[in-house]
Amino acid sequence: MRDERRSGCPINLTLEVVGDKWSLLIIRDMIFGNHRHFRELLLKSEEGVSSNILADRLKTLVEQGIIARTDDPSHQQKVIYSLTEQGIELLPILAQMAGWGRKYLPVSEELGIRARLLQEGGPAMWEEFMSELRETHLGVAPRDRGKSGGAPVAERLQAAYEAVVAQRKPR
Amino acid sequence: MRDERRSGCPINLTLEVVGDKWSLLIIRDMIFGNHRHFRELLLKSEEGVSSNILADRLKTLVEQGIIARTDDPSHQQKVIYSLTEQGIELLPILAQMAGWGRKYLPVSEELGIRARLLQEGGPAMWEEFMSELRETHLGVAPRDRGKSGGAPVAERLQAAYEAVVAQRKPR
DNA sequence: TCTGAGTGATTGTGAAATGCAACCAGTTGC
DNA sequence: GCAACTGGTTGCATTTCACAATCACTCAGA
């Protein structure tokens, strides 16, 4: 998986970095679920990644500069994984994938609602979301979000998801 | 690889269909190189796919409805692979990947030029390109391309690539 | 009618990636 | 002191991948 260089094609190179079964799912959980700790990524994963794979991918993603690994000051053993700018900019790829999957594959309603909002919001919403990620992951000072839809994108996505879940399981 | 359904998440489902090392590269060669035959995909591949993998992926992609397999009337054994609408709509994913790879990975100049043009052209150019693909792969009647940049996108990409190659190898 | 190149694959074998479950040493809150 | 929690490791079975050789068939040219 590592140390490859099959060709200098940008698509191929991207696939060699994040083209395996798990890397983009881990990035997804960090972006949309705000999962920042090992056990959080391990246990809250929809798909059930195994711990050795998760450890290996996190290590690789750190080496590639897509995420960063820092100590959690609140606990001597805890570690915080953060997205780098490079990782944040994977969002448009995920958004396009989500849109395509929603159109052509049997997506579940509760997991498709975020994809729908992202698709409707378009690149402008992706940019706004990326700005928010820069605040939470890079510590960048918040720009004033002017003409946006009010609440942060992350909150809007989460609220929509919970609304669908509440509707489907009334009690 | 097949028959999975780890979760109903649109990103996960997309990855289960095209998230392996080769599928998107095959689609790329069909889109950007107009490779339509087995041996063409096999021998002109930058990365050197092996024939059993190629055969397996083509079969899977046909089953998934991303490409179509038809007989070539000019030769009883020849087969033509075409993109379906579903396959054509993978272009934005490839374009985003190309843009990300070009920004962060050691892309070669001659293979990066297409990515640059696609990035500069933006979604409008992608749409135009997809229209052209619908003509060549689906047999859709050409709409008149009005305010576009003149020549078809496919030709512009190819010309730019050849210009770089000619510049780097003067003789 | 022969012959050599071209067609889309298949087969066999070893290497690599993946999946699963158990386990580990150190830390924290009670 | 102790149970729960922390980010991982380890060993082993299964699955996938990679590489090379090969296949049955078709077609154009001599």
Side-chain angles (χ1 to χ4, degrees):
Chain A
M1 163 156 209
R2 269 163 288 266
D3 304 342
E4 303 181 46
R5 194 67 48 91
R6 297 184 296 189
S7 84
C9 164
I11 294 173
N12 174 58
L13 290 170
T14 300
L15 285 170
E16 288 184 5
V17 175
V18 294
D20 68 284
K21 286 212 211 321
W22 289 107
S23 294
L24 283 179
L25 295 180
I26 294 168
I27 305 290
R28 175 203 64 185
D29 287 343
M30 293 182 72
I31 290 181
F32 295 102
N34 197 33
H35 297 172
R36 307 289 294 273
H37 298 100
F38 188 92
R39 273 206 150 57
E40 205 173 10
L41 288 161
L42 184 69
L43 300 175
K44 293 186 187 171
S45 159
E46 277 283 333
E47 294 84 11
V49 64
S50 51
S51 57
N52 54 348
I53 306 275
L54 177 58
D56 181 78
R57 287 307 175 282
L58 288 171
K59 190 179 155 201
T60 305
L61 290 171
V62 168
E63 286 168 2
Q64 297 284 348
I66 292 169
I67 61 177
R69 182 187 191 278
T70 56
D71 293 339
D72 185 334
S74 79
H75 187 304
Q76 212 165 349
Q77 271 188 324
K78 266 189 176 173
V79 160
I80 301 178
Y81 290 99
S82 304
L83 293 162
T84 63
E85 174 64 23
Q86 194 173 341
I88 290 170
E89 290 189 20
L90 288 170
L91 174 63
I93 296 177
L94 291 177
Q96 293 284 5
M97 283 189 169
W100 189 88
R102 200 173 79 86
K103 185 162 182 180
Y104 291 113
L105 299 173
V107 168
S108 72
E109 191 187 354
E110 58 267 35
L111 293 172
I113 182 67
R114 291 194 191 91
R116 187 180 138 216
L117 291 179
L118 276 174
Q119 206 168 10
E120 290 170 357
M125 183 190 252
W126 307 347
E127 278 302 329
E128 194 183 337
F129 195 6
M130 288 164 70
S131 281
E132 295 174 19
L133 292 170
R134 287 184 191 102
E135 296 173 27
T136 51
H137 288 255
L138 303 177
V140 171
R143 54 162 204 184
D144 68 336
R145 59 179 74 85
K147 59 185 177 331
S148 68
V153 175
E155 286 180 19
R156 279 185 271 163
L157 294 178
Q158 188 60 23
Y161 169 71
E162 284 167 8
V164 172
V165 172
Q167 192 179 350
R168 287 171 63 89
K169 296 201 233 161
R171 200 93 355 246
Chain B
M1 163 152 211
R2 270 162 286 267
D3 304 344
E4 303 182 44
R5 194 66 51 91
R6 297 184 295 187
S7 83
C9 165
I11 294 173
N12 173 59
L13 290 171
T14 299
L15 285 170
E16 288 183 5
V17 174
V18 295
D20 68 284
K21 285 210 208 324
W22 289 108
S23 294
L24 283 179
L25 294 180
I26 295 169
I27 305 288
R28 176 204 64 185
D29 288 343
M30 293 183 71
I31 289 181
F32 296 102
N34 197 33
H35 297 173
R36 308 290 292 273
H37 298 101
F38 187 91
R39 273 203 149 55
E40 205 172 11
L41 288 161
L42 184 70
L43 300 175
K44 293 186 186 171
S45 160
E46 276 283 334
E47 293 83 13
V49 65
S50 50
S51 58
N52 55 349
I53 305 277
L54 177 58
D56 181 78
R57 287 306 175 282
L58 288 172
K59 190 178 155 202
T60 306
L61 290 171
V62 168
E63 287 169 1
Q64 297 284 350
I66 291 169
I67 61 177
R69 183 186 190 278
T70 55
D71 294 338
D72 185 333
S74 79
H75 188 304
Q76 211 165 346
Q77 270 188 326
K78 265 191 178 172
V79 160
I80 300 177
Y81 290 99
S82 305
L83 293 162
T84 62
E85 173 63 23
Q86 195 174 341
I88 290 170
E89 291 191 20
L90 288 170
L91 174 63
I93 296 177
L94 291 177
Q96 293 284 5
M97 282 189 170
W100 189 87
R102 200 173 80 85
K103 184 161 183 181
Y104 291 112
L105 299 173
V107 167
S108 74
E109 191 188 354
E110 59 267 33
L111 293 173
I113 182 67
R114 291 195 192 90
R116 187 181 137 214
L117 291 178
L118 277 175
Q119 205 169 9
E120 289 169 356
M125 183 189 253
W126 307 348
E127 278 301 330
E128 194 183 338
F129 197 6
M130 287 165 70
S131 282
E132 295 173 20
L133 292 170
R134 287 186 190 99
E135 296 174 25
T136 51
H137 288 256
L138 303 178
V140 171
R143 51 161 207 184
D144 69 336
R145 58 180 73 87
K147 59 186 177 333
S148 67
V153 175
E155 286 180 19
R156 279 185 272 163
L157 294 177
Q158 188 59 23
Y161 169 71
E162 284 168 7
V164 172
V165 172
Q167 192 180 348
R168 287 170 64 90
K169 297 201 233 163
R171 198 83 9 237

